[in-house]
Structures are given as C-alpha cells and as structure tokens.
Amino acid sequence: NQKKQETASKFFFSPRLGFTLRSSEIYLEIVPLVGYKVFPRFWLGAGPEYMYFRSGSYHTSIYGASSFAYFAVLDNIQETINIGIGSIFLYLENEILSIQPYGQDRAWYDLLLGGAGVRIPVGSRMGISIMALWGLNKSTELLYSNPELRIMYDF
C-alpha cells in the first residue's frame, strides 16, 4: 500500500491556461498537462493542447499535443539560503500542432521550445513556475515571440 502511495505522489497535474482579449483580438489556450517525477529533479509530462485565435475576420482553432522535460539544476534552494525559491530549472517542450496560418492550408507543425525558470513551492505539493522559453526551430515563429514568458502551476 505504501508503494502505491509513493508512486501516486510522483504524478502531478500542471494545467496551462492562457487568455488574451484586445479590441478585435481574442486568444484562448487550454493545455492540461500530466507529469511524472522520474527522479526528484527530473520530471516528464504530456497532454493535449487546444488554442483558439481570432483577429478581425480571421479565426482558427489550433490543436495537437505537448510534451515536456524539466530538470532542476539547483534544487531546494529555499532550504539552503531561504529566499523563497525552490528550484532553478531547465525546461524543454515539444508541441505537435495542427495550424492553419492565415491564407494557407492547415498542416501539422513541430514546435520546439527551450529555456529556464524558477519554481516557487506553495505548500507541500504545489508550485508556481516562472519561465522564459525560446523557439529552437523555425515553426515556433508561427505562435510565439522570443522569449515566450510563462507562469505555470503544478499540484
């Protein structure tokens, strides 16, 4: 029974939600990621991804899947110097998305992002991560600026 509890505690949920509303522009993003702590400092995860974008008369849905790898370069900093930061980490994300760029046919694109961030623990299981990601291939220019700034939660 204890082994089942230990295995269950290695799984976590890390939803990514985004919303932008500007005059004639709407952006909505829903990415319910599920992860597994392979080792205390190395996490992997994946999940479906959906985005909706509208600008003027152009609108599109973007869908596919996202996967990520997280590696804590410096872990448990809070215990050493007590500044409220739990980890400094490296982050790699790969998205396979069906996108219909303006005036073009829908196609599948492979978007690769990499970067770093800090994770701030909130309680015993939850954390807030603040990260900066850069596009590592040409396809990322379809959706993201460099750097892409994100705030994510995990619990």
Side-chain angles (χ1 to χ4, degrees):
N1 227 4
Q2 184 178 359
K3 186 159 178 112
K4 284 183 184 180
Q5 287 177 339
E6 287 174 12
T7 302
S9 71
K10 290 185 174 190
F11 283 96
F12 62 94
F13 182 60
S14 184
R16 190 170 80 218
L17 304 171
F19 183 79
T20 302
L21 179 59
R22 285 185 225 133
S23 62
S24 66
E25 189 175 287
I26 295 175
Y27 171 78
L28 171 67
E29 176 182 37
I30 302 168
V31 187
L33 298 169
V34 175
Y36 183 76
K37 297 175 183 177
V38 179
F39 300 107
R41 294 171 60 165
F42 180 62
W43 306 354
L44 296 173
E49 186 162 351
Y50 175 80
M51 293 178 227
Y52 174 79
F53 178 74
R54 187 183 84 198
S55 180
S57 63
Y58 172 71
H59 62 92
T60 187
S61 288
I62 300 167
Y63 50 86
S66 180
S67 61
F68 72 89
Y70 164 107
F71 178 73
V73 177
L74 297 171
D75 201 21
N76 295 324
I77 297 169
Q78 182 172 323
E79 293 175 8
T80 308
I81 55 178
N82 197 22
I83 59 172
I85 296 174
S87 305
I88 295 175
F89 61 87
L90 297 175
Y91 189 87
L92 185 65
E93 179 176 287
N94 188 46
E95 298 173 311
I96 307 293
L97 299 176
S98 176
I99 303 172
Q100 184 175 11
Y102 183 76
Q104 299 178 35
D105 291 335
R106 179 172 290 279
W108 288 92
Y109 293 89
D110 186 0
L111 290 78
L112 187 62
L113 297 125
V118 295
R119 182 175 182 274
I120 302 161
V122 180
S124 62
R125 283 206 30 102
M126 186 176 162
I128 298 170
S129 296
I130 302 166
M131 65 182 93
L133 303 175
W134 285 265
L136 301 177
N137 63 1
K138 187 89 172 138
S139 296
T140 57
E141 294 173 5
L142 290 167
L143 296 178
Y144 302 115
S145 58
N146 274 326
E148 167 77 6
L149 301 175
R150 289 196 186 155
I151 298 174
M152 293 178 64
Y153 302 89
D154 62 81
F155 51 92

